[in-house]
Amino acid sequence: MLQNIINLTVKDVRFPTSLEQHGSDAMHTDPDYSAVYVVLDTDDGLKGFGLAFTLGKGTEIVVCAVQALAGLVVGKSLQDIVHNFRGFYRLLTSDGQMRWLGPEKGVIHLATAAVLNAVWDLWARAESKPLWKLLVDMDPKQIVSCIDFRYISDVLTEEEALDILMKAKEGKQQRGEQTKSQ
């Protein structure tokens, strides 16, 4: 059954950590740890949850950025997204109208992260698995297909990543069991 994303909700969640300077440091003397919280709803009632953290002021701007990306998410089927996860990432970061705002840095980067986190969560829930188990069960080619190598291929190519994962298949079952027991 196809699961179509029918709604994206985003909330600005803030915690008054600056009142007693919890989490402060030399550069961030008054952080109010906050999150942009995204919920994706599907037509069959499944939900995916994602977030990106901020330090308070400006969170409302990230919320607006998520809302601007919503049109690229709502109406998509989860199956189409996961069968071309790299393409979906590129769709979010290459929108002609939003690209000049910095899709791989700043506000749009945070908004994209919150949306992608919600998609990963939705995918794991659709498979009835915790996210770690979804990843453990993925074939190396599938894992590599989720990664955009455009900016890292000078350090790690897609072929090299696939080779590393193929070599790591030995012992995968044991590592999965260790993770499960922790």
Side-chain angles (χ1 to χ4, degrees):
M1 177 179 170
L2 284 177
Q3 291 152 323
N4 295 305
I5 298 171
I6 60 168
N7 192 42
L8 181 154
T9 306
V10 59
K11 295 181 182 177
D12 179 338
V13 181
R14 300 190 191 201
F15 306 93
T17 54
S18 65
L19 296 177
E20 295 185 30
Q21 295 186 317
H22 296 299
S24 64
D25 60 34
M27 294 296 294
H28 306 96
T29 57
D30 62 347
D32 281 323
Y33 286 104
S34 306
V36 174
Y37 187 72
V38 173
V39 180
L40 299 177
D41 295 290
T42 65
D43 54 1
D44 67 349
L46 198 59
K47 293 180 182 291
F49 305 89
L51 49 85
F53 291 105
T54 68
L55 288 181
K57 288 181 185 173
T59 304
E60 66 276 7
I61 298 168
V62 182
V63 166
C64 289
V66 169
Q67 291 168 338
L69 294 175
L72 301 172
V73 180
V74 175
K76 297 268 189 261
S77 82
L78 177 61
Q79 289 72 17
D80 287 346
I81 291 171
V82 302
H83 284 106
N84 186 10
F85 205 91
R86 180 184 304 161
F88 180 69
Y89 168 81
R90 287 183 177 174
L91 174 72
L92 294 180
T93 60
S94 299
D95 179 82
Q97 297 292 311
M98 300 291 287
R99 182 157 181 74
W100 70 279
L101 295 174
E104 287 141 350
K105 58 189 173 291
V107 171
I108 300 298
H109 184 83
L110 290 168
T112 301
V115 170
L116 288 174
N117 286 337
V119 171
W120 276 106
D121 184 62
L122 184 62
W123 185 0
R125 289 171 188 273
E127 297 290 329
S128 299
K129 298 177 182 181
L131 182 55
W132 71 266
K133 182 68 170 148
L134 175 72
L135 291 167
V136 166
D137 290 348
M138 288 174 81
D139 176 82
K141 287 182 182 178
Q142 188 178 21
I143 293 171
V144 169
S145 76
C146 294
I147 302 168
D148 185 356
F149 285 87
R150 284 184 293 186
Y151 304 116
I152 62 171
S153 62
D154 59 329
V155 177
L156 179 70
T157 67
E158 186 170 345
E159 295 77 22
E160 291 168 331
L162 183 57
D163 185 52
I164 290 167
L165 291 171
M166 293 299 284
K167 287 177 183 172
K169 281 180 90 171
E170 186 178 320
K172 179 180 175 178
Q173 180 75 25
Q174 181 183 3
R175 290 189 305 275
E177 291 301 320
Q178 284 176 327
T179 302
K180 185 178 177 181
S181 68
Q182 294 178 356

